[in-house]
Amino acid sequence: MTAIDVHNVCVSYGSVQALHDVSLQVRAGEFLTVLGPSGSGKSTLLGVISGLMEPSSGAIEVGGRDITALPTHHRQMGLVFQNYALFPTMTVAQNVAFGLKVRREDRATIQREVERALALVRLDGYGTRRVQALSGGQQQRVALARAIVINPTVLLLDEPLGALDRKLRQEVQVELRELQRSLAITTVMVTHDQEEALTLSDRIAIVNNGRIEQVGTPDELYAKPVSSFVANFLGTSNEVRGRVSREGYGARFTDGDLSFACEVPRFPGNEAIATIRPESILVEPAHSTTQPGIVHARVRDAIYLGGNTRYHLQLESGHQWVALSRPDHPIIRRGADVALTWSPEAVWLLDPSTPGAIE
């Protein structure tokens, strides 16, 4: 069931077009993240859904009802912003109660709903405190409580964890996902943080230059990107342009001196872009293996990351790639000659002339 339906939305600011004919469906109860770089149009899309911005053309439906012309305060949506937008002179409870007071709810209802919302975000007993006396993580929870206290049909989050340090952000991510699941509330979040999107989302919509490049589950987008932009924005990808030809029961990708096996594409012999994720590449000392299909390289740099080591490599063909070692492999030092191997299944082919991948 579709909760939010964005139909062919365009947004223009004079001669600048922020959104180009964007269509997107958000399923009921799912956590969908709109992911993209700064200036990609992701916050504009959230603004249009919330009613804070008007589309130049197109329509927004929620639950099958056209709300394009409906004011923000009539859309039954909860909003959380990066800076939280809390009232510094009010207590925690007064901040959370704000939306209910605007709706002229009675005092008993306000007290009951505020206590319920604070309990959901694990801030029981914090109602009388001033928000300025709270930590960043606690302020973020107050903003969440204020958004959910009105029992919205949709929760909209605009970079909600951007102000938190890394450790606290990871902790709040878990809490936010648990809260969203317990309420089964349709949630749309905007972020530029790939790890955050992968951690929280049921599906991700990747936006670039005002257009949606791809929508899918985190594993779909990571394993089968439809474009070079998606492959490189969601993680790191080694890319090379060349040609694919049939070889026995499989296929071979070739670019000058670089050649390796890959799965059979739909159109053998076509030009293609081969993408290989760093963690798919096995890095071994050059003298330790003689198996066929080896690609030789030299370690330009080896960066220890705790759980693994990131290698910056100079291939014999001249290409510069990145690989991630397995945690149990010894570190190979800078300047060493290495042998690289990967499975044909690790190679994902993209059509350089269209946004679709060659399957």
Side-chain angles (χ1 to χ4, degrees):
M1 180 180 175
T2 301
I4 305 172
D5 213 336
V6 179
H7 295 283
N8 308 107
V9 165
C10 295
V11 175
S12 298
Y13 304 107
S15 61
V16 177
Q17 193 159 358
L19 293 179
H20 303 262
D21 196 31
V22 169
S23 294
L24 177 67
Q25 290 186 329
V26 185
R27 300 165 185 163
E30 83 168 328
F31 195 121
L32 183 135
T33 295
V34 181
L35 176 67
S38 298
S40 62
K42 57 186 185 297
S43 290
T44 301
L45 177 57
L46 197 74
V48 170
I49 294 172
S50 69
L52 294 174
M53 298 180 182
E54 289 186 22
S56 306
S57 60
I60 307 291
E61 291 183 4
V62 173
R65 176 191 177 200
D66 190 334
I67 64 164
T68 311
L70 201 64
T72 300
H73 59 281
H74 287 156
R75 294 195 179 197
Q76 194 63 17
M77 295 180 178
L79 283 79
V80 178
F81 302 97
Q82 181 176 355
N83 63 0
Y84 312 141
L86 299 175
F87 301 107
T89 59
M90 293 184 181
T91 65
V92 168
Q94 289 169 339
N95 267 276
V96 176
F98 182 78
L100 297 174
K101 288 184 176 179
V102 169
R103 298 180 179 203
R104 300 184 183 280
E105 299 285 356
D106 62 76
R107 183 174 297 180
T109 299
I110 291 174
Q111 182 176 347
R112 181 182 68 250
E113 292 302 311
V114 167
E115 289 176 355
R116 180 187 68 87
L118 288 176
L120 283 170
V121 298
R122 302 177 187 176
L123 285 179
D124 313 66
Y126 279 73
T128 59
R129 299 193 187 186
R130 296 284 176 180
V131 294
Q132 289 179 316
L134 303 181
S135 67
Q138 290 169 335
Q139 289 184 18
Q140 192 267 355
R141 293 179 195 175
V142 174
L144 266 176
R146 185 176 62 183
I148 64 176
V149 76
I150 60 172
N151 294 311
T153 56
V154 174
L155 181 61
L156 303 178
L157 310 172
D158 191 358
E159 304 270 9
L161 311 181
L164 306 180
D165 62 59
R166 180 179 176 83
K167 185 175 185 299
L168 182 55
R169 187 164 64 246
Q170 290 175 338
E171 293 174 359
V172 176
Q173 283 173 5
V174 175
E175 294 176 1
L176 177 58
R177 192 66 174 109
E178 289 177 348
L179 176 64
Q180 189 270 338
R181 284 174 175 160
S182 69
L183 296 174
I185 185 172
T186 304
T187 301
V188 180
M189 181 180 75
V190 159
T191 186
H192 64 274
D193 189 308
Q194 298 96 322
E195 181 181 332
E196 192 171 284
L198 290 169
T199 300
L200 289 168
S201 311
D202 294 313
R203 291 192 303 150
I204 300 171
I206 296 187
V207 181
N208 184 35
N209 291 327
R211 293 182 171 88
I212 293 180
E213 293 250 344
Q214 187 174 359
V215 181
T217 62
D219 57 311
E220 287 172 348
L221 298 186
Y222 192 80
K224 297 182 177 182
V226 300
S227 68
S228 179
F229 174 82
V230 174
N232 284 282
F233 190 74
L234 199 66
T236 302
S237 181
N238 298 299
E239 292 189 357
V240 58
R241 184 185 292 252
R243 296 185 66 83
V244 182
S245 58
R246 177 81 66 166
E247 183 181 71
Y249 293 104
R252 177 157 291 272
F253 181 92
T254 304
D255 175 43
D257 295 334
L258 180 62
S259 181
F260 49 83
C262 62
E263 293 189 316
V264 177
R266 182 177 298 168
F267 305 106
N270 278 9
E271 289 189 4
I273 297 173
T275 67
I276 304 173
R277 294 292 187 183
E279 63 271 17
S280 298
I281 301 173
L282 178 62
V283 182
E284 297 180 290
H287 58 78
S288 66
T289 180
T290 58
Q291 62 177 301
I294 292 172
V295 171
H296 293 279
R298 177 163 291 174
V299 177
R300 295 172 52 233
D301 204 357
I303 303 173
Y304 179 65
L305 301 174
N308 51 39
T309 302
R310 183 171 68 232
Y311 292 108
H312 294 263
L313 306 164
Q314 178 81 38
L315 277 59
E316 278 190 341
S317 59
H319 299 87
Q320 294 187 3
W321 282 12
V322 177
L324 283 177
S325 73
R326 276 63 165 180
D328 56 342
H329 277 215
I331 297 175
I332 302 173
R333 299 301 175 186
R334 180 173 176 268
D337 292 325
V338 292
L340 311 179
T341 54
W342 56 86
S343 70
E345 295 78 15
V347 182
W348 180 247
L349 298 176
L350 301 172
D351 185 341
S353 63
T354 69
I358 302 175
E359 297 179 333

